[in-house]
Amino acid sequence: MDKEERKTINQGQEDEMEIYGYNLCRWKLAVVSLGVVCTGGFLLLLLYWMPEWRVKATCVRASIKDCEVVLLRTTDEFRMWFCAKIRLLSLKTHPFSSPKSMANVVSNGHAVLLSENLDLAEENRHEISKYSQMQSEQIRYFSHHSVKYFWNDTLHNFDFLKGLDEGVSCTSIYEKHSAGLTKGMHAYRKLLYGVNEISVKVPSVFKLLIKEVLNPFYIFQLFSVILWCTDEYYYYALAIVIMSVVSILSSLYSIKKQYIMLHDMVAAHSTVRVSVCRVNEESEEIFSTDLVPGDVMVIPLNGTVMPCDAVLINGTCIVNESMLTGESVPVTKTNLPNPLVDIKGMEDELYSPEIHKRHTLFCGTTVIQTRFYAGELVKAIVVRTGFSTSKGQLVRSILYPKPTDFKLYRDAYLFLLCLVAVAAIGFIYTIINSILNEVEVGVIIIESLDIITITVPPALPAAMTAGIVYAQRRLKKIGIFCISPQRINICGQLNLVCFDKTGTLTEDGLDLWGIQRVEHARFLLPEENVCNEMLVKSQFVACMATCHSLTKIEGVLSGDPLDLKMFEAIGWILEEATEEETALHNRIMPTVVRPPKQLLPELTPVGNQEMELFELPAIYEIGIVRQFPFSSALQRMSVVSRVLGDKKMDAYMKGAPEVIASLCKPETVPVDFEKVLEDYTKQGFRVIALAHKKLESKLTWHKVQNISRDAIENNMDFMGLIIMQNKLKQETPAVLEDLHKANIRTVMVTGDNMLTAVSVARDCGMILPQDKVIIAEALPPKDGKVAKINWHYADSLTQCSNSLAIDSEAIPIKLAHNSLEDLQVTRYHFAMNGKSFSVILEHFQDLVPKLMLHGTVFARMAPDQKTQLVEALQNVDYFVGMCGDGANDCGALKRAHGGISLSELEASVASPFTSKTPSISCVPNLIREGRAALMTSFCVFKFMALYSIIQYFSVTLLYSVLSNLGDFQFLFIDLAIILVVVFTMSLNPAWKELVAQRPPSGLISGSLLFSVLSQILICIAFQSVAFFWVKQQSWYEVWHPHSDACNTTGSLYGNSSHLYNETEDDPHNIQNYENTTVFFISSFQYLIVAIAFSKGKPFRQPCYKNYLFVVSVITLYAFILFIMLHPVASIDQVLQIVCVPYQWRVTMLIIVLVNALVSVMVENFCLDTVLWKVVFNRDRQGEYRFTTTQPPQEAVDHWGKCCLSWVLDCRKKIPKAKYMYLAQELLVDPEWPPKPQTTTEAKALVKENGSCQIITIT
């Protein structure tokens, strides 16, 4: 294939796709049209289902630059095909058309040009000449999944139109974009970017109906119905039509409901009127749908719902971002630092909505309040619109979800293919048998096609979804809501669950445990009460009073829970200036804090000696001049404040202790800082450090407004620690213990301090007391040195600092065991922070799988790192669950196999599951229901397989005597038996506790195949015995309307035979002894396999507790027994059953009883006791393996095991799951786990493959 004809778009991103160009070919189109007519429209359907075939059948390859159609294929594991038509966007019709404005806006259709200087006319003309398409004033583009891709001549590829969120520096935001757009520029950009709306169109019922009806399954049903009608099976055809209509209507209702729900969520505030600033400083009011990147939007005083993503360039906003993050805590947004006026310039820094999120207002979030100074408006520059916004991307992920890849569904297709193969054999057999018996051609065609419809059951999809629907209903009852029902089955396979810490494992709020101040570089004793007269004027309390992002909303103090607790502990009062005051005075303090009067001493103030304030105590107030909000990347926040009447301003900073200490003067940090911090974090306390410095008197209010935070946050004086207590939730230890007993690994992913996280992991039982914790501290390459990992043992960190001699107990003992079950007792866990995790991902790829196998604590993790961790765990074949409060976990919740959000806010819309109660007890409940649903799916699949094969074999046997099952016989089997059984056998609730055993992940597994095949052979054997045995009976003859076999046993049934003597000739030869025998035997067989397959423990409640199923089966058994042993003339007439002697009825009953005994014995004894426990013994990690250790069993069991293992060739195999294979390898690796105080270095020469070597530092 020519490389020129294949390109990649969205390279390196989640939706990366290969793109191929095609042009329409007339002769190919004519051939396809002819094919459609010849196949009666079936070819058209096939091309509708297969976009790749559709394009290749009607088009020829062309260069991507000049093509009319593009074919797209995703590069992920699904390799899905899409096609899109190339469209032309005409620019010459626009009234504002001019070369200069065109080049500014469009040029190559790439929005980076929006950042270019608009005055460089010569450059713009040069740009136009570079792009041939511009000379015709037309731009080629196509749309895919609500995103427009424009042709870019520079890249020689299609690329989506970016806003100001990429390639634009912070300098140019102020220099080139802060003035606003001209009307002409705005009009052109609107032409390109389109309407600023996230439109979720609710499809019409007709459109949805057509899409649903054209599903391959319904087409097959339509084919079946037409076939049955031609064969006069009207009742059964009608029943299937009714079933299909009900199924389609319920499906349409749920799809339409989801669309309406999403549409309402998006459209709630889709169109508002906004004010924008134009170049000439005029203000214009437009609809929010007309906004384009580059527009300068005025944020109204009373707040608004943001219609786009915009960067704040003037003023401050208080925003509720619960729609995006799931956190209802208001966030303060400040204007983007202006590099032009900052003391320390950052001219080259590029603006990014993710990095500068504290300055970015996101679409869909609610601006509660705005603040401005000296009458200036609060302004923001629009950076992204429509589906490019953060909300737009969230909606896209819901509209176009990734397909669910699960072994069960892949195996289901294989199973259907097997059934099709079986049907093909029956098809050929029927044709040959009919030709040999000189049957009419029309009958041959109908009967041979009929065998296909019998083999592939039309009720299969409805039966498969029944278990999931019931599980979804049960989950709803316990407060777990699901937006992706298919994932319930996958949750049954989860063998690892990641938990967020704060708000998930621990309580949401923090309690202030105490403070530990520092004086003269020494820690004082811890103090519990901060709210006292001695400390009221200290710098420490001043820092607690000012260094926060609290604000008053409708008179109530709100903000970060940690800040709230800290502020409440000192008992101060916060007052905010009114809008009128801010407008009147240029330098008024926007926020003032002061202590309550009762805390102030009556005489001169006592406190820090540096404070030379001898004013009246009543007027001791601190004004917050400038705020640098908390940044998770920097792990700190700071403020500039001034005590009323003081000449110099103060800078206060608080944040992660390690970060704060690194920004303080070394002489002010106590020598034992690390030891004290470690002592607190080991006990599970959340520790925050405080620092302070006096600013120079020449720093005026105006200068402070424009100063960079780097100029403030250095050379500080370390003031001490605030110790917060984060209590474990009451249910946490018990839930984690349940998961451990079920051999489900638990992992902690948190934004908190490493040692605090390790401590909490120990407290909640995630890490057992005797387990060792190895901390991996990875350092990136620096000063020509390669990246390296230092290994420390957490519990021996303090011992190691005193002496290099390490106690042998500190190193986990590891023996090479034959059984993988002993892997669980290998007592070590890895812990690392987000920075180390990133370095390891980049420079030590070959270590990542090993660390995933025992990594338990991941601290200081950013939201995107949480997602990367979930991916890394999935890469070693773990089925990963993620439980978080929705705040920073959106990406990870979406990526995991089963994501459970404990927040009911809108952000959790991306999570497959949402728990009403914010408790992790929902995790075992979900896994239990998942396992039950998965086992139900297997039971139903096995039952449907047996139903197909039993009916297929019944029909094949009857075809051999040129007979068939009657219309009402089919109807009775399919409706009265199969549907009733399928929909009631799915009702078994989940087992009350989690067990260590995991259900198989797919249908193609030893135990399931053995189960199905053994039951097929048993059913075929007993049907064959009955079919051939009836022919050996003394009373047997080829049945005709005047046959009266009943009279051979006396006149007991004489009356019932008169009816048959009066019947007309049977054209289909339904009524005969073989048919009656096969009908009764097969009817019982359906019920026998239903009972054999309806297993309870260990994943579901026993079937006798499923009362509807028990009642249904008993009723059906009673009815069939009754009509078999005591025939009723009217029923026999409807079902087309003939009268057989009483002794044969008893014989049939004996055959049925023996069949039932053999089926139940094989399924429940042979499979469960011998095969499951001996041959297909499952280890704790959930894969099949053959046990090499000899269990103390009796001689018979040992003989049975040997025979079965020889028959089934179940030798010891390499485990399928990567983590299992890796675990086997690591058991015999002498270098693993790394020894304490060693370093692993990346090899400098071969960086790309991530090779590394271990060097011991002595």
Side-chain angles (χ1 to χ4, degrees):
M1 192 180 283
D2 186 5
K3 283 186 181 178
E4 284 300 305
E5 294 179 350
R6 182 176 113 181
K7 305 260 185 192
T8 304
I9 56 173
N10 303 331
Q11 202 147 13
Q13 293 175 37
E14 195 180 339
D15 52 353
E16 183 180 277
M17 288 178 288
E18 291 171 355
I19 180 168
Y20 306 86
Y22 284 87
N23 280 341
L24 208 63
C25 175
R26 291 182 187 279
W27 69 265
K28 276 191 172 187
L29 203 60
V31 171
V32 167
S33 305
L34 187 67
V36 168
V37 173
C38 295
T39 57
F42 181 71
L43 180 62
L44 192 66
L45 272 172
L46 201 63
L47 296 180
Y48 168 76
W49 295 327
M50 312 288 283
E52 180 198 5
W53 294 7
R54 182 163 77 244
V55 172
K56 288 181 177 177
T58 55
C59 303
V60 288
R61 287 297 293 268
S63 69
I64 294 170
K65 187 180 178 181
D66 306 312
C67 63
E68 296 169 358
V69 176
V70 288
L71 191 59
L72 306 161
R73 182 168 70 170
T74 59
T75 55
D76 56 16
E77 68 271 27
F78 303 106
R79 314 290 280 173
M80 289 176 71
W81 291 93
F82 301 95
C83 65
K85 194 178 177 184
I86 298 291
R87 301 179 186 278
L88 295 173
L89 181 66
S90 180
L91 300 172
K92 59 185 173 188
T93 54
H94 206 277
F96 296 104
S97 182
S98 75
K100 182 176 172 181
S101 60
M102 193 182 347
N104 286 333
V105 185
V106 187
S107 196
N108 60 351
H110 201 269
V112 170
L113 286 168
L114 297 183
S115 63
E116 289 180 6
N117 195 328
L118 304 176
D119 300 323
L120 301 175
E122 287 303 315
E123 193 179 315
N124 291 331
R125 290 193 190 98
H126 174 64
E127 286 289 315
I128 292 174
S129 63
K130 267 169 63 181
Y131 307 109
S132 55
Q133 62 165 356
M134 290 306 304
Q135 289 160 11
S136 62
E137 295 186 7
Q138 282 189 328
I139 304 176
R140 297 159 52 75
Y141 74 95
F142 69 89
S143 296
H144 174 68
H145 285 179
S146 303
V147 174
K148 281 183 182 175
Y149 293 86
F150 289 85
W151 176 255
N152 183 329
D153 257 344
T154 312
L155 298 173
H156 294 289
N157 198 358
F158 283 95
D159 195 13
F160 68 90
L161 203 57
K162 300 173 183 71
L164 298 181
D165 55 321
E166 280 188 43
V168 182
S169 67
C170 293
T171 312
S172 66
I173 291 269
Y174 277 99
E175 262 191 352
K176 302 168 187 173
H177 300 286
S178 58
L181 302 174
T182 62
K183 287 192 176 182
M185 288 283 286
H186 176 271
Y188 251 108
R189 286 193 187 178
K190 193 180 172 201
L191 195 66
L192 279 169
Y193 286 97
V195 179
N196 171 37
E197 64 177 354
I198 302 164
S199 58
V200 178
K201 289 175 184 168
V202 180
S204 65
V205 175
F206 180 72
K207 262 188 181 176
L208 285 173
L209 183 68
I210 295 296
K211 198 175 178 183
E212 191 70 18
V213 167
L214 292 182
N215 182 309
F217 163 67
Y218 288 120
I219 296 297
F220 176 69
Q221 279 198 335
L222 182 68
F223 161 74
S224 304
V225 166
I226 293 166
L227 185 71
W228 293 327
C229 288
T230 58
D231 204 18
E232 297 174 12
Y233 288 168
Y234 299 120
Y235 296 107
Y236 186 48
L238 183 67
I240 289 294
V241 166
I242 292 167
M243 254 177 60
S244 299
V245 167
V246 170
S247 174
I248 288 169
L249 289 176
S250 64
S251 180
L252 282 184
Y253 173 74
S254 61
I255 293 169
K256 181 96 174 171
K257 192 179 170 185
Q258 279 183 350
Y259 266 113
I260 290 169
M261 189 182 79
L262 191 59
H263 176 268
D264 291 349
M265 183 193 102
V266 172
H269 307 284
S270 58
T271 309
V272 289
R273 290 192 78 82
V274 292
S275 288
V276 291
C277 299
R278 293 284 173 234
V279 169
N280 51 10
E281 294 185 10
E282 278 182 16
S283 178
E284 183 187 358
E285 200 167 86
I286 60 171
F287 281 110
S288 58
T289 47
D290 294 329
L291 287 171
V292 295
D295 267 330
V296 176
M297 178 183 168
V298 177
I299 312 293
L301 295 174
N302 54 352
T304 182
V305 174
M306 287 301 294
C308 57
D309 287 356
V311 60
L312 206 55
I313 55 164
N314 228 13
T316 310
C317 292
I318 293 153
V319 185
N320 182 345
E321 291 192 323
S322 61
M323 185 266 149
L324 281 183
T325 63
E327 277 198 32
S328 54
V329 175
V331 182
T332 303
K333 302 276 183 170
T334 57
N335 59 303
L336 185 75
N338 186 349
L340 298 171
V341 291
D342 277 354
I343 290 170
K344 186 180 176 185
M346 302 176 344
E347 292 83 2
D348 297 325
E349 188 182 8
L350 292 178
Y351 165 72
S352 159
E354 280 67 46
I355 295 168
H356 299 101
K357 64 180 176 186
R358 283 289 179 176
H359 315 293
T360 307
L361 304 169
F362 293 103
C363 179
T365 60
T366 309
V367 177
I368 305 166
Q369 274 182 15
T370 62
R371 290 193 190 147
F372 58 96
Y373 309 113
E376 287 186 26
L377 296 169
V378 178
K379 294 179 189 174
I381 297 172
V382 177
V383 290
R384 296 187 294 206
T385 56
F387 277 101
S388 302
T389 61
S390 44
K391 184 178 179 179
Q393 287 162 7
L394 179 70
V395 172
R396 276 185 70 216
S397 71
I398 300 164
L399 278 176
Y400 314 106
K402 262 193 165 185
T404 312
D405 181 37
F406 188 40
K407 202 166 181 289
L408 173 71
Y409 304 124
R410 277 179 281 149
D411 288 354
Y413 289 118
L414 282 173
F415 168 75
L416 282 173
L417 283 174
C418 292
L419 287 183
V420 168
V422 170
I425 296 165
F427 181 79
I428 294 162
Y429 163 77
T430 308
I431 292 172
I432 294 166
N433 184 58
S434 300
I435 290 169
L436 292 174
N437 287 288
E438 298 177 359
V439 179
E440 289 177 24
V441 176
V443 176
I444 293 175
I445 292 168
I446 288 169
E447 288 193 341
S448 55
L449 289 173
D450 199 24
I451 203 97
I452 296 170
T453 65
I454 287 165
T455 319
V456 184
L460 183 64
M464 284 295 290
T465 52
I468 295 171
V469 169
Y470 295 146
Q472 195 175 359
R473 201 183 294 164
R474 287 195 297 269
L475 284 171
K476 199 172 181 180
K477 278 183 186 172
I478 55 173
I480 300 170
F481 298 93
C482 171
I483 60 161
S484 179
Q486 296 300 328
R487 295 225 183 195
I488 296 174
N489 269 343
I490 301 174
C491 287
Q493 277 295 307
L494 296 184
N495 53 3
L496 183 147
V497 183
C498 297
F499 290 98
D500 182 32
K501 184 179 79 72
T502 312
T504 305
L505 296 172
T506 59
E507 295 289 352
D508 234 337
L510 290 155
D511 297 318
L512 187 78
W513 180 84
I515 62 167
Q516 190 156 8
R517 292 185 298 138
V518 168
E519 275 186 16
H520 309 299
R522 286 190 180 184
F523 277 113
L524 303 178
L525 289 172
E527 299 163 81
E528 268 187 53
N529 186 18
V530 197
C531 187
N532 63 47
E533 291 181 16
M534 298 296 290
L535 294 174
V536 74
K537 290 197 176 180
S538 65
Q539 299 283 17
F540 196 96
V541 169
C543 183
M544 289 176 75
T546 57
C547 199
H548 53 70
S549 55
L550 300 177
T551 183
K552 277 195 172 175
I553 296 169
E554 294 176 0
V556 180
L557 205 60
S558 61
D560 188 277
L562 187 147
D563 287 348
L564 268 172
K565 283 280 181 193
M566 192 176 75
F567 195 75
E568 283 167 9
I570 56 170
W572 282 40
I573 297 152
L574 180 137
E575 288 175 354
E576 289 180 334
T578 62
E579 287 166 18
E580 291 79 12
E581 287 174 321
T582 332
L584 279 170
H585 307 287
N586 197 12
R587 298 189 187 185
I588 191 154
M589 300 297 182
T591 304
V592 173
V593 289
R594 57 182 172 79
K597 286 181 181 176
Q598 59 267 31
L599 274 183
L600 290 167
E602 290 178 15
L603 299 166
T604 51
V606 180
N608 196 311
Q609 280 104 19
E610 282 182 31
M611 285 189 171
E612 294 176 2
L613 284 175
F614 297 98
E615 287 92 5
L616 289 168
I619 57 164
Y620 179 68
E621 290 181 348
I622 305 174
I624 300 166
V625 181
R626 175 91 195 268
Q627 208 178 65
F628 297 101
F630 176 78
S631 157
S632 52
L634 300 173
Q635 296 178 12
R636 62 181 185 267
M637 79 163 288
S638 56
V639 290
V640 176
S641 68
R642 184 161 61 182
V643 177
L644 196 67
D646 206 346
K647 289 176 185 175
K648 292 183 179 180
M649 293 189 190
D650 297 279
Y652 294 108
M653 178 168 66
K654 80 163 199 281
E658 312 94 308
V659 176
I660 300 298
S662 68
L663 295 168
C664 289
K665 297 172 192 164
E667 63 271 17
T668 65
V669 180
V671 183
D672 58 347
F673 163 73
E674 286 182 10
K675 184 182 180 302
V676 171
L677 175 62
E678 193 183 327
D679 287 344
Y680 282 125
T681 52
K682 273 188 180 178
Q683 292 172 60
F685 289 116
R686 173 94 176 262
V687 184
I688 293 148
L690 306 184
H692 160 260
K693 83 168 173 185
K694 276 277 181 195
L695 297 176
E696 297 169 2
S697 53
K698 66 178 182 183
L699 268 179
T700 61
W701 188 90
H702 270 297
K703 280 183 180 173
V704 166
Q705 293 311 312
N706 296 315
I707 200 167
S708 75
R709 74 187 293 169
D710 288 352
I712 297 288
E713 295 172 345
N714 60 39
N715 282 328
M716 311 277 285
D717 295 331
F718 191 80
M719 288 202 299
L721 306 171
I722 297 176
I723 299 104
M724 313 287 280
Q725 198 172 17
N726 194 197
K727 292 173 186 168
L728 273 180
K729 283 186 179 175
Q730 201 175 346
E731 66 278 0
T732 297
V735 169
L736 294 184
E737 192 183 350
D738 286 350
L739 293 173
H740 289 159
K741 280 180 185 171
N743 288 318
I744 294 168
R745 254 188 76 191
T746 51
V747 170
M748 187 190 292
V749 195
T750 177
D752 209 340
N753 172 285
M754 164 87 72
L755 292 174
T756 304
V758 170
S759 167
V760 171
R762 283 199 184 281
D763 291 346
C764 66
M766 204 176 269
I767 297 173
L768 298 174
Q770 68 272 21
D771 294 356
K772 299 294 173 190
V773 177
I774 306 167
I775 292 178
E777 182 197 358
L779 303 170
K782 196 178 180 183
D783 303 329
K785 291 179 183 175
V786 293
K788 61 179 180 178
I789 305 172
N790 296 324
W791 308 98
H792 308 292
Y793 278 53
D795 303 321
S796 53
L797 272 176
T798 44
Q799 303 166 18
C800 297
S801 57
N802 302 328
S803 164
L804 285 172
I806 308 243
D807 183 14
S808 61
E809 283 296 307
I811 301 168
I813 300 159
K814 186 183 67 171
L815 302 168
H817 300 286
N818 288 330
S819 172
L820 285 178
E821 294 189 18
D822 298 316
L823 178 66
Q824 292 295 310
V825 299
T826 313
R827 302 165 301 170
Y828 63 94
H829 303 259
F830 288 107
M832 67 193 77
N833 61 25
K835 284 179 184 172
S836 296
F837 180 67
S838 291
V839 172
I840 290 166
L841 275 188
E842 192 177 344
H843 300 282
F844 298 90
Q845 291 98 330
D846 57 342
L847 279 186
V848 174
K850 294 181 182 181
L851 291 171
M852 290 304 108
L853 202 65
H854 286 281
T856 303
V857 175
F858 296 85
R860 296 276 187 238
M861 295 284 275
D864 59 325
Q865 289 172 333
K866 290 183 181 183
T867 311
Q868 288 169 344
L869 173 66
V870 169
E871 284 173 351
L873 288 163
Q874 287 172 336
N875 288 342
V876 287
D877 293 346
Y878 275 113
F879 280 92
V880 183
M882 173 77 199
C883 182
D885 57 6
N888 297 316
D889 311 317
C890 276
L893 287 167
K894 262 166 52 183
R895 175 68 66 206
H897 290 109
I900 315 148
S901 170
L902 301 185
S903 160
E904 284 192 87
L905 293 158
E906 276 185 83
S908 65
V909 102
S911 173
F913 300 95
T914 307
S915 174
K916 207 173 184 180
T917 50
S919 154
I920 65 164
S921 56
C922 63
V923 175
N925 287 337
L926 179 63
I927 296 172
R928 281 190 307 106
E929 287 297 347
R931 287 178 172 189
L934 188 56
M935 283 315 290
T936 300
S937 294
F938 287 140
C939 290
V940 169
F941 228 107
K942 284 156 71 176
F943 178 70
M944 293 304 281
L946 262 293
Y947 150 60
S948 294
I949 299 298
I950 291 169
Q951 196 169 78
Y952 166 79
F953 198 72
S954 301
V955 172
T956 309
L957 282 174
L958 293 174
Y959 275 2
S960 69
V961 291
L962 302 180
S963 181
N964 198 351
L965 289 171
D967 195 1
F968 279 99
Q969 287 176 343
F970 271 126
L971 203 62
F972 176 74
I973 290 168
D974 290 327
L975 295 186
I977 300 180
I978 303 305
L979 283 187
V980 169
V981 167
V982 158
F983 289 117
T984 55
M985 83 188 295
S986 303
L987 282 167
N988 284 34
W991 185 243
K992 52 185 179 284
E993 59 191 38
L994 277 176
V995 292
Q997 213 172 310
R998 267 199 309 131
S1001 59
L1003 290 164
I1004 314 298
S1005 63
S1007 59
L1008 283 167
L1009 285 176
F1010 179 84
S1011 170
V1012 170
L1013 291 171
S1014 60
Q1015 293 300 330
I1016 286 172
L1017 292 173
I1018 292 163
C1019 291
I1020 286 175
F1022 281 97
Q1023 246 190 77
S1024 303
V1025 165
F1027 179 79
F1028 292 111
W1029 199 0
V1030 73
K1031 291 183 177 183
Q1032 307 304 316
Q1033 300 304 308
S1034 56
W1035 47 264
Y1036 175 81
E1037 62 176 344
V1038 175
W1039 193 89
H1040 52 85
H1042 303 289
S1043 295
D1044 196 5
C1046 296
N1047 282 337
T1048 58
T1049 57
S1051 59
L1052 183 65
Y1053 296 99
N1055 295 335
S1056 67
S1057 64
H1058 294 309
L1059 183 74
Y1060 299 112
N1061 294 337
E1062 295 162 14
T1063 54
E1064 297 169 13
D1065 284 347
D1066 179 8
H1068 292 290
N1069 188 25
I1070 304 296
Q1071 291 171 307
N1072 54 55
Y1073 300 121
E1074 292 94 333
N1075 170 288
T1076 300
T1077 303
V1078 166
F1079 171 73
F1080 278 126
I1081 298 291
S1082 64
S1083 294
F1084 277 113
Q1085 282 181 337
Y1086 298 126
L1087 295 172
I1088 290 164
V1089 293
I1091 290 167
F1093 288 154
S1094 282
K1095 290 177 185 169
K1097 266 181 85 171
F1099 307 117
R1100 306 196 306 163
Q1101 297 276 10
C1103 64
Y1104 59 78
K1105 285 196 176 180
N1106 182 352
Y1107 303 117
L1108 267 174
F1109 175 68
V1110 172
V1111 169
S1112 304
V1113 169
I1114 289 172
T1115 308
L1116 285 165
Y1117 261 126
F1119 177 74
I1120 300 166
L1121 257 174
F1122 175 73
I1123 63 170
M1124 187 174 88
L1125 296 176
H1126 192 282
V1128 178
S1130 55
I1131 294 173
D1132 285 2
Q1133 186 187 9
V1134 170
L1135 291 174
Q1136 293 174 282
I1137 298 168
V1138 299
C1139 189
V1140 291
Y1142 187 74
Q1143 70 193 43
W1144 181 244
R1145 294 169 194 273
V1146 174
T1147 307
M1148 283 196 290
L1149 181 60
I1150 293 165
I1151 291 170
V1152 165
L1153 290 171
V1154 176
N1155 185 348
L1157 187 70
V1158 172
S1159 286
V1160 172
M1161 284 287 287
V1162 167
E1163 184 67 23
N1164 292 311
F1165 175 74
C1166 294
L1167 185 73
D1168 288 0
T1169 308
V1170 183
L1171 267 174
W1172 187 272
K1173 290 181 181 172
V1174 179
V1175 181
F1176 297 112
N1177 188 23
R1178 295 166 62 80
D1179 64 26
R1180 295 186 176 192
Q1181 297 287 3
E1183 291 293 330
Y1184 292 122
R1185 65 178 179 86
F1186 183 70
T1187 313
T1188 52
T1189 51
Q1190 177 63 45
Q1193 289 178 319
E1194 300 201 10
V1196 176
D1197 284 343
H1198 175 63
W1199 177 83
K1201 172 185 156 184
C1202 293
C1203 289
L1204 281 166
S1205 61
W1206 177 76
V1207 170
L1208 292 162
D1209 191 27
C1210 286
R1211 303 177 298 277
K1212 186 174 180 179
K1213 293 175 185 173
I1214 295 169
K1216 289 178 187 174
K1218 287 179 192 168
Y1219 68 87
M1220 287 290 302
Y1221 176 69
L1222 199 62
Q1224 276 187 346
E1225 278 192 338
L1226 294 183
L1227 281 172
V1228 291
D1229 186 350
E1231 293 292 324
W1232 199 261
K1235 306 291 182 290
Q1237 305 302 98
T1238 57
T1239 297
T1240 304
E1241 287 191 353
K1243 283 185 181 172
L1245 295 173
V1246 242
K1247 282 183 184 175
E1248 62 277 358
N1249 65 0
S1251 300
C1252 51
Q1253 55 188 358
I1254 293 180
I1255 300 162
T1256 305
I1257 310 284
T1258 52

